[in-house]
Amino acid sequence: MSTTNRPTNNNNSNEEEVDLGSLFVIIGKGFTKFFNFIGSIFKGIFHVIISILIFLKENTIKIGIAAIVGLIVGVFVEVRKTDTFESELLLEPNFKSARQLYENINYYNNLVKQKDTAGLVKTFKLDKQYAASLKEFEIEPIKTENDIINSYNDFILSVDTTTVKSYTFLEFKAAFTSYDYKIHKVTVTAKKNNIFDKLDDVIISSVVSNKYFNKLKGLTNRDLNRTDSLYRQNLTHIDSLRKVYMQVMVEEAKKQTTGTNIDLGGEKGTTKELELFEANRKINNDLRNIASQKATKYDVINVISNFQPIGTKIKGVTKNYAFLLGALGASFMIVFLLLLKLNKYLGNYKK
């Protein structure tokens, strides 16, 4: 019996060894293909880098000549151009007036683009020479993550729980526009450096004079004043109640010292005193918030920083025509040579 069973066991072990061997072969082939794939990626990247270096080496003279020509032209333009200056105005629009501010700035910029000197003279009450010196009006928000977070917190406090659950922070952030940021920067570029302090009053008054925003400002400030008055009245009542409870506690203490065991206030009086203290603290905190809102909502637009009377001269490599035209000449030459190579490749491909 034992003799006849041995071959069967040997056959089973051989089959298991064959299966394990096949498995290891498959795993080995998988690793080989994976490493070959990684190697092909590095080879491709290396090939691209070498091809670029070969292209630059073969065309260094042509690209260099194009860059030098652009540089020479840029130097000529840079020498002849007049200096330009810029200044910035930082504003905090209230009552959703940012959109109107952006539209007004775009209107001023369109007057500059169209070289409508007469329109600029009429709008800003400038001399014709000063109006003609204006080159660009630009506006952009000062983007901070805190503005989005604070706006989302205000949104949560103003809606019910069901709405909050169905509207996530990421969805709110995606819907947040440039108009929703708190502070916005207006940049004006001009050929004269002493024009900027003549512009900010017109830019601000163009929004402040809007009847709709003035109506909202009046209603908001009246509401804040009314709320402030109510809170102060409540604070007075709380102070009166605290004095009453203090008197009760003093009288109770006197009776205890004379041996009387009658409890007129006890722990309840102490609890009420703590509740009144907490109410007092909360109202004072609300009053501080109202004072802060009154300070920021008093005007349609809060001016964070006016235009500087004397503008800053625009400098820097990226503003220099010599650098810009030199780089542009080299770029055009590279594109031209690549198009020639592409045309040659397409011609050979047809054959």
Side-chain angles (χ1 to χ4, degrees):
M1 293 292 291
S2 60
T3 307
T4 56
N5 287 336
R6 286 175 185 173
T8 304
N9 293 335
N10 290 335
N11 289 335
N12 290 336
S13 62
N14 290 335
E15 288 177 1
E16 291 177 0
E17 289 175 0
V18 170
D19 291 340
L20 287 174
S22 300
L23 178 62
F24 283 126
V25 169
I26 293 171
I27 293 173
K29 288 182 178 179
F31 275 111
T32 302
K33 290 181 180 179
F34 175 74
F35 286 117
N36 287 339
F37 173 72
I38 298 296
S40 65
I41 292 175
F42 282 105
K43 286 180 181 178
I45 295 172
F46 180 75
H47 176 72
V48 171
I49 294 172
I50 294 300
S51 298
I52 292 172
L53 293 175
I54 292 172
F55 172 79
L56 294 175
K57 180 182 177 182
E58 292 176 348
N59 300 284
T60 301
I61 297 176
K62 296 176 183 177
I63 297 172
I65 291 173
I68 291 170
V69 171
L71 183 67
I72 293 171
V73 175
V75 169
F76 179 75
V77 174
E78 185 72 23
V79 170
R80 296 196 61 182
K81 80 169 186 179
T82 56
D83 292 334
T84 54
F85 306 87
E86 68 178 12
S87 189
E88 297 175 351
L89 172 68
L90 295 180
L91 301 174
E92 181 186 3
N94 293 317
F95 315 112
K96 302 294 183 180
S97 61
R99 187 181 294 273
Q100 182 66 56
L101 177 64
Y102 273 70
E103 290 179 357
N104 291 353
I105 296 299
N106 290 333
Y107 168 71
Y108 305 146
N109 198 48
N110 286 333
L111 291 178
V112 173
K113 286 182 178 179
Q114 297 167 13
K115 296 183 179 180
D116 188 354
T117 305
L120 292 169
V121 169
K122 182 180 179 181
T123 302
F124 292 101
K125 307 296 186 292
L126 297 171
D127 293 336
K128 188 174 181 180
Q129 185 181 9
Y130 277 95
S133 72
L134 291 168
K135 292 192 65 178
E136 185 180 24
F137 285 83
E138 188 179 20
I139 184 170
E140 61 181 347
I142 304 296
K143 295 184 178 181
T144 62
E145 194 74 14
N146 285 338
D147 285 355
I148 303 176
I149 294 172
N150 291 335
S151 297
Y152 185 67
N153 288 336
D154 294 339
F155 168 74
I156 289 174
L157 295 173
S158 63
V159 298
D160 55 80
T161 308
T162 306
T163 305
V164 172
K165 290 180 178 178
S166 63
Y167 200 58
T168 64
F169 174 74
L170 292 178
E171 291 174 322
F172 182 86
K173 185 177 181 180
F176 204 81
T177 66
S178 297
Y179 306 119
D180 298 320
Y181 285 97
K182 188 176 181 181
I183 298 175
H184 302 263
K185 180 175 70 175
V186 179
T187 305
V188 178
T189 307
K191 293 180 181 178
K192 290 185 177 295
N193 67 344
N194 58 346
I195 189 177
F196 302 103
D197 58 349
K198 302 175 178 65
L199 307 176
D200 45 6
D201 287 341
V202 176
I203 292 173
I204 295 167
S205 63
S206 66
V207 180
V208 171
S209 60
N210 186 292
K211 292 182 179 179
Y212 172 73
F213 298 132
N214 271 289
K215 183 179 179 181
L216 283 180
K217 183 190 77 170
L219 290 173
T220 301
N221 280 282
R222 279 197 294 272
D223 184 58
L224 288 172
N225 289 332
R226 183 167 54 251
T227 305
D228 182 90
S229 178
L230 288 173
Y231 277 149
R232 292 185 184 280
Q233 289 177 14
N234 290 337
L235 198 61
T236 302
H237 294 325
I238 289 173
D239 287 338
S240 300
L241 285 173
R242 287 179 65 187
K243 290 178 180 179
V244 170
Y245 276 112
M246 288 295 294
Q247 290 176 358
V248 169
M249 292 175 69
V250 169
E251 292 295 328
E252 184 179 324
K254 288 180 179 179
K255 290 179 180 180
Q256 287 178 353
T257 56
T258 59
T260 306
N261 293 325
I262 299 173
D263 188 0
L264 297 178
E267 293 183 359
K268 290 184 179 180
T270 305
T271 303
K272 290 291 184 180
E273 174 69 15
L274 292 174
E275 289 176 356
L276 289 172
F277 178 80
E278 180 61 25
N280 184 287
R281 187 193 64 80
K282 187 177 183 302
I283 290 177
N284 276 302
N285 186 57
D286 290 337
L287 284 171
R288 282 193 294 271
N289 291 334
I290 290 173
S292 176
Q293 290 184 55
K294 288 171 70 174
T296 56
K297 303 292 184 181
Y298 186 78
D299 292 312
V300 176
I301 291 183
N302 297 323
V303 180
I304 308 300
S305 175
N306 288 96
F307 285 124
Q308 295 299 317
I310 303 299
T312 304
K313 185 177 179 180
I314 297 177
K315 298 179 181 179
V317 176
T318 57
K319 304 290 184 179
N320 190 288
Y321 281 107
F323 170 79
L324 293 175
L325 293 180
L328 191 63
S331 301
F332 275 141
M333 179 56 70
I334 291 172
V335 172
F336 177 72
L337 293 171
L338 288 174
L339 289 175
L340 288 179
K341 289 180 72 69
L342 177 62
N343 184 59
K344 184 178 179 180
Y345 172 78
L346 294 175
N348 295 330
Y349 184 80
K350 290 180 181 179
K351 296 177 182 179

